[in-house]
Amino acid sequence: MRRWVLATAGAAGLAGIGVAVARSKGGTVVGLRRSFEYALLGVPHGPLGWVGVRMMAATKGSFYRALAAELDLRPDDVLLDVGCGSAGLLVEQASHVSYVAGLDASEMQVEMARRRLADRLAAGTAEIVQGDAVALPWEDGRFSVVASLDVMKFVPDPGAALREAVRVLRPGGRLAVTVGDMAKAPMEGAGRSGTMDAWGMWHWSDADARRMAEEAGFVDVTVSVLPVFSKPQLVRGMKPAPLELDEAPESAPPVEALAG
């Protein structure tokens, strides 16, 4: 409890700094804004990261529940969480899943995730690695489900990250990722789809988000809003299954015909 209070108090103070930075103008300050957001929430590191890691661990429970409802996780699933943070989704919503894996670029997050999943790691039913969303360290077709919450909006090339998600999914595997925050869209104005804001986060129209997922190789793509307060823009899709051999003849030709 004491740690949560300290993290919350620290976050409140940092939020005040963030507001002050946000009201400033100029190219140099844009860089400061992005550095602030990146260190706090993007790839947490340093003193800001210490606060960000604890703040996210204490406040993301409703996000994980909402995303898990979209994923419809089953006991036989093999789940990958890209940008797993402190493993909140894996710990709180995927304890019944046969195997879970998490990847995060932040050393702080990876350390916390490994502590929270220590029992499953020891049992060989989980793994946590530090890495890059655009270069996943798993073989093709490893997972039945790929999830990602509040990560793609920070990835420099989200299209490449989605292509990697397709690669590591099994045929028929499913995807549910958030790619932006719809709550911010009205403030950003029209015509900003496919651009980064001053905080270094991507914004997409629904049409562009759908097109990006389809170009990565997903089918049955839908774009909606995850029902939590920041209204993350949720993209769902599926990796195509191999086509059935429906062009094969209904019956084999007579043996005599084959013999000529």
Side-chain angles (χ1 to χ4, degrees):
M1 180 68 179
R2 181 173 176 270
R3 288 184 177 181
W4 186 89
V5 171
L6 287 173
T8 303
L14 290 169
I17 297 172
V19 170
V21 172
R23 289 176 177 170
S24 303
K25 298 181 183 292
T28 302
V29 174
V30 168
L32 289 173
R33 295 182 196 178
R34 292 186 178 183
S35 296
F36 176 88
E37 191 79 3
Y38 192 71
L40 181 69
L41 301 174
V43 180
H45 59 276
L48 282 173
W50 186 92
V51 174
V53 165
R54 286 153 181 80
M55 181 175 67
M56 287 186 281
T59 61
K60 289 286 188 180
S62 61
F63 289 70
Y64 300 138
R65 286 192 296 274
L67 185 59
E70 298 288 342
L71 292 167
D72 186 25
L73 295 170
R74 301 187 284 264
D76 61 346
D77 275 324
V78 180
L79 167 66
L80 169 63
D81 186 2
V82 179
C84 64
S86 60
L89 177 68
L90 305 181
V91 171
E92 298 170 23
Q93 302 297 328
S95 60
H96 64 297
V97 172
S98 65
Y99 192 92
V100 298
L103 174 139
D104 205 279
S106 167
E107 183 178 357
M108 286 183 172
Q109 294 281 42
V110 166
E111 288 177 358
M112 182 175 284
R114 286 174 175 164
R115 287 198 298 270
R116 297 187 70 190
L117 276 172
D119 289 346
R120 292 203 67 169
L121 290 169
T125 62
E127 60 183 308
I128 299 292
V129 301
Q130 185 174 0
D132 191 335
V134 302
L136 300 176
W138 289 283
E139 69 275 15
D140 297 0
R142 175 72 178 87
F143 300 98
S144 63
V145 184
V146 171
S148 184
L149 177 68
D150 286 346
V151 173
M152 295 294 176
K153 64 185 180 183
F154 290 108
V155 174
D157 189 347
L162 288 172
R163 291 191 294 274
E164 274 291 271
V166 169
R167 181 184 66 77
V168 300
L169 272 173
R170 301 170 182 172
R174 48 204 203 277
L175 169 90
V177 302
T178 61
V179 297
D181 289 332
M182 296 305 293
K184 291 186 177 181
M187 295 184 289
E188 294 298 324
R192 297 296 302 276
S193 179
T195 65
M196 275 189 169
D197 65 15
W199 298 98
M201 292 184 284
W202 287 102
H203 294 276
W204 304 98
S205 67
D206 285 358
D208 285 345
R210 181 180 298 106
R211 186 179 305 112
M212 180 168 59
E214 290 173 344
E215 289 177 351
F218 288 99
V219 297
D220 298 333
V221 176
T222 62
V223 181
S224 59
V225 173
L226 199 67
V228 292
F229 75 90
S230 62
K231 300 180 180 177
Q233 187 180 30
L234 177 72
V235 174
R236 296 181 62 185
M238 180 179 294
K239 180 172 181 174
L243 294 174
E244 297 292 333
L245 299 177
D246 52 6
E247 65 272 18
E250 294 183 3
S251 59
V255 175
E256 293 82 2
L258 293 175

